[in-house]
C-alpha cells in the first residue's frame, strides 16, 4: 500500500465516511486524504463539515455546489423520459451519484491523487454507480472501497470505531437509519424497516423530513399549476422559476400535503431485495404533471413506445450506467419527442393524492369535435366497420382454420 500517497475521498460526513478518514491514514501509511463533498441539496448536513473533516485527518475539503447542474442535466432528462424504477422509485440516489463521482474525478486528477475512495457498502448499488462513473472519466484510477477491505461488519461496529477515535456523530444507535438526502428526495433504510412486515413510523417525530404523512396533511386541498416548455418545467402558478427553485417550491407544496411517500421492496442490481422508504414530494408532482401533459401532446405510437424506453432508461440510471452510449442515445430519442410537450397542468394536492384538475397545450392532439359523444360532422361512424373487418381478419382466418380441424 506504500504506492498510495494521496487519496481523494467522496465525503458526506455521515457514519461511513466519518470513520474512513482515520482508517485510510492508519491503513495506507498515513496517506494524505482530500475530502470532496458534492452539494446536491443536502442542506444542513453540510454544516460544520469542513471543521469535522480537518479534525479527523483530512488535509482539505472541497464542497462543490452541483445543485443546478444536477437538476438540469440529470433530473430533468430523467423526468422527460418518464423513467421510474419498478413503478415506484423516482431514482433520487441513483442519478445523484454520477454527477458527484464525475466532480470527484475532476478534483482527483487536478490534485494528482493516486486513488479515489468511497464509503459504499459491498451490498449496495452505490458502489457500482460511483465506480462506473470513475471508470468513465479516469479508467486507470485506483479505487479504494473500505467496506470490501476492513474487518468492520455492521453499523454498530462503525459507531464503536467512531467512539474509539473520538469522531463526533449526529446519530445514535437508536436513530441509526441509513439515509441519503438531496434536493430531490430522502431515503430511509435499516433498523425496523429491514422487516417488510413492519409499518413505517411515518408519524413518529423526526422520521419524515421533507413533509408530513397524509393523515397529518391539511383538510383543505392545494391547487398548483405547472408550466412546461419542451418537456422542461419552467414555472409554478405562472411564476417563472429556475430549475432548483421549481424543485424546492414543489417540495414545499408536496411535503405540506403528504405527497410522494413510497414504501418499496426493490430489486437491487447486486441481486438482493432491499426495503426502503422514499420521500420525493416535488419530484412526484413533476412526474405526474409531465406525464399528464404528454397524454394530450404525444401521438399514440410515440406515447406507447416511450413507455418502453422509460423502463430501460430507469434501469440504466438505477444501474449506474449514466455515462454510456445507450443512455445518451435514449436521451436523444426522448428529446426529439419533447418538441411539443409544452403547456400547463393544473393539479389538486390532497392528503397524499395528486388529482388532475385540467391540462392545456397549444400542441394538444385532443380534438373535441372528433371525441364528442354528441352529434358531429367530422367523424363517420360507418367507417369503423371496414376498419374492424381488416383489423380482425387474422382472427377470422384463424377461427375458420380451427373449425375445419374440429
Amino acid at each position: 500500500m506504500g504506492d498510495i500517497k494521496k487519496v481523494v475521498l467522496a465525503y458526506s460526513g455521515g457514519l461511513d465516511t466519518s470513520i474512513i478518514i482515520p482508517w485510510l491514514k492508519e491503513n495506507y501509511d498515513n496517506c494524505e486524504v482530500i475530502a470532496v463533498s458534492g452539494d446536491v441539496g443536502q442542506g444542513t448536513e453540510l454544516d460544520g463539515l469542513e471543521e469535522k473533516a480537518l479534525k479527523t485527518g483530512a488535509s482539505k475539503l472541497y464542497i462543490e455546489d452541483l445543485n443546478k447542474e444536477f437538476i438540469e442535466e440529470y433530473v430533468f432528462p430523467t423526468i422527460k423520459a418518464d423513467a421510474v424504477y419498478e413503478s415506484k422509485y423516482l431514482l433520487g440516489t441513483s442519478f445523484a451519484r454520477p454527477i458527484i463521482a464525475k466532480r470527484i474525478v475532476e478534483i482527483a486528477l487536478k490534485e494528482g491523487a493516486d486513488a479515489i475512495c468511497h464509503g459504499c457498502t459491498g451490498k449496495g448499488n452505490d458502489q457500482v454507480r460511483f465506480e462506473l462513473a470513475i471508470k468513465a472519466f479516469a479508467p486507470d484510477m485506483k479505487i479504494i472501497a473500505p467496506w470490501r477491505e476492513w474487518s468492520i461488519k455492521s453499523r454498530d461496529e462503525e459507531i464503536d470505531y467512531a467512539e474509539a477515535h473520538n469522531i463526533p456523530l449526529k446519530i445514535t444507535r437508536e436513530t441509526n437509519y441509513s439515509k441519503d438526502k438531496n434536493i430531490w428526495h430522502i431515503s430511509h433504510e435499516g433498523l425496523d424497516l429491514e422487516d417488510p412486515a413492519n409499518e413505517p413510523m411515518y408519524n413518529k417525530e423526526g422520521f419524515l423530513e421533507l413533509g408530513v404523512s397524509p393523515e397529518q396533511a391539511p383538510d383543505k386541498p392545494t391547487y398548483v399549476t405547472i408550466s412546461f416548455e419542451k418537456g422542461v418545467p419552467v414555472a409554478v402558478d405562472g411564476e417563472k422559476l429556475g430549475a432548483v427553485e421549481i424543485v424546492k417550491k414543489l417540495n414545499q407544496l408536496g411535503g405540506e400535503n403528504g405527497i410522494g411517500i413510497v414504501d418499496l421492496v426493490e430489486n437491487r442490481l447486486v441481486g438482493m431485495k432491499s426495503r426502503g422508504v422514499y420521500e420525493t414530494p416535488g419530484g412526484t408532482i413533476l412526474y405526474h404533471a409531465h406525464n399528464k401533459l404528454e397524454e394530450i401532446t404525444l401521438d399514440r405510437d410515440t406515447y406507447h413506445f416511450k413507455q418502453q424506453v422509460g423502463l430501460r432508461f430507469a434501469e440504466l440510471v438505477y444501474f449506474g450506467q449514466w455515462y454510456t452510449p445507450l443512455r445518451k442515445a435514449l436521451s436523444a430519442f426522448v428529446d426529439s419527442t419533447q418538441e411539443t410537450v409544452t403547456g400547463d397542468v393544473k393539479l389538486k394536492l390532497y392528503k397524499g393524492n395528486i388529482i388532475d384538475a385540467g391540462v392545456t397545450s397549444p400542441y394538444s392532439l385532443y380534438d373535441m369535435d372528433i371525441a364528442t359523444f354528441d352529434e358531429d360532422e367530422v367523424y363517420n361512424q360507418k367507417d369503423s366497420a371496414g376498419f374492424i373487418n381488416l383489423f380482425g381478419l387474422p382472427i377470422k382466418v384463424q377461427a375458420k382454420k380451427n373449425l375445419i380441424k374440429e
Side-chain angles (χ1 to χ4, degrees), residues 76-77 79-81 227-234 286 290 293-294 337-343:
F76 284 174
I79 295 175
K80 288 193 289 184
S227 302
F228 291 83
E229 293 180 3
K230 295 186 177 182
V232 175
V234 295
L286 283 173
H290 178 263
L293 185 57
E294 285 190 326
T337 70
Q338 300 297 289
E339 289 296 317
T340 60
V341 185
T342 294

Side-chain angles (χ1 to χ4, degrees), residues 92-383:
T93 299
S94 306
F95 49 32
R97 296 314 186 218
I99 184 175
I100 294 172
K102 178 174 178 283
R103 186 64 186 124
I104 288 170
V105 169
E106 292 168 350
I107 291 172
L109 294 175
K110 183 181 75 171
E111 289 281 356
D114 304 302
I116 290 174
C117 179
H118 64 74
C120 308
T121 73
K123 289 185 176 181
N125 300 305
D126 279 346
Q127 59 181 332
V128 181
R129 296 164 183 156
F130 268 111
E131 294 186 29
L132 292 190
I134 293 169
K135 291 179 187 299
F137 297 101
D140 296 322
M141 180 69 69
K142 179 176 175 58
I143 298 172
I144 300 172
W147 270 103
R148 303 202 292 254
E149 296 183 22
W150 62 21
S151 59
I152 295 173
K153 301 298 183 185
S154 68
R155 287 176 69 82
D156 269 346
E157 290 186 12
E158 284 187 288
I159 294 175
D160 291 338
Y161 185 97
E163 291 174 348
H165 290 75
N166 297 313
I167 299 171
L169 299 174
K170 294 182 179 180
I171 61 172
T172 68
R173 295 180 194 273
E174 292 71 32
T175 61
N176 186 22
Y177 287 106
S178 176
K179 297 188 178 189
D180 178 74
K181 180 180 180 181
N182 58 44
I183 190 175
W184 184 250
H185 90 152
I186 185 168
S187 63
H188 310 260
E189 295 178 317
L191 297 180
D192 56 296
L193 297 178
E194 290 189 346
D195 185 350
N198 292 331
E199 180 181 1
M201 296 181 288
Y202 296 131
N203 293 324
K204 180 181 178 181
E205 184 177 355
F207 182 77
L208 295 178
E209 296 189 24
L210 299 184
V212 300
S213 69
E215 297 95 325
Q216 295 174 320
D219 294 330
K220 182 180 179 181
T222 297
Y223 284 89
V224 61
T225 299
I226 304 165
S227 302
F228 291 83
E229 293 180 3
K230 295 186 177 182
V232 175
V234 295
V236 176
D237 291 331
E239 180 184 4
K240 290 279 188 178
L241 297 170
V244 172
E245 288 69 31
I246 284 176
V247 174
K248 287 183 176 180
K249 177 67 174 178
L250 294 178
N251 273 340
Q252 175 197 337
L253 294 176
E256 291 170 350
N257 287 277
I259 303 296
I261 302 170
V262 167
D263 180 358
L264 171 64
V265 176
E266 68 200 61
N267 290 291
R268 284 185 176 176
L269 173 59
V270 295
M272 70 184 70
K273 289 185 181 290
S274 174
R275 196 267 190 101
V277 169
Y278 298 100
E279 299 177 63
T280 321
T284 302
I285 295 170
L286 283 173
Y287 264 88
H288 188 108
H290 178 263
N291 186 260
K292 188 65 183 177
L293 185 57
E294 285 190 326
E295 285 182 8
I296 67 169
T297 57
L298 296 186
D299 66 277
R300 180 193 63 200
D301 289 347
T302 300
Y303 186 77
H304 287 180
F305 187 73
K306 190 169 173 292
Q307 289 178 322
Q308 300 176 47
V309 170
L311 291 173
R312 189 69 181 101
F313 198 106
E315 284 186 338
L316 291 173
V317 177
Y318 188 85
F319 294 166
Q321 296 173 297
W322 186 269
Y323 302 115
T324 60
L326 179 55
R327 199 283 306 166
K328 293 175 183 176
L330 292 184
S331 281
F333 163 76
V334 168
D335 284 345
S336 73
T337 70
Q338 300 297 289
E339 289 296 317
T340 60
V341 185
T342 294
D344 298 328
V345 182
K346 186 178 182 181
L347 302 171
K348 180 165 66 173
L349 313 179
Y350 183 67
K351 290 189 176 295
N353 297 291
I354 301 178
I355 303 165
D356 297 326
V359 56
T360 60
S361 170
Y363 302 102
S364 176
L365 299 177
Y366 182 85
D367 189 328
M368 285 191 291
D369 290 337
I370 293 177
T372 181
F373 282 95
D374 293 331
E375 182 179 354
D376 69 85
E377 298 179 355
V378 295
Y379 187 94
N380 187 345
Q381 298 198 28
K382 293 180 180 179
D383 291 343

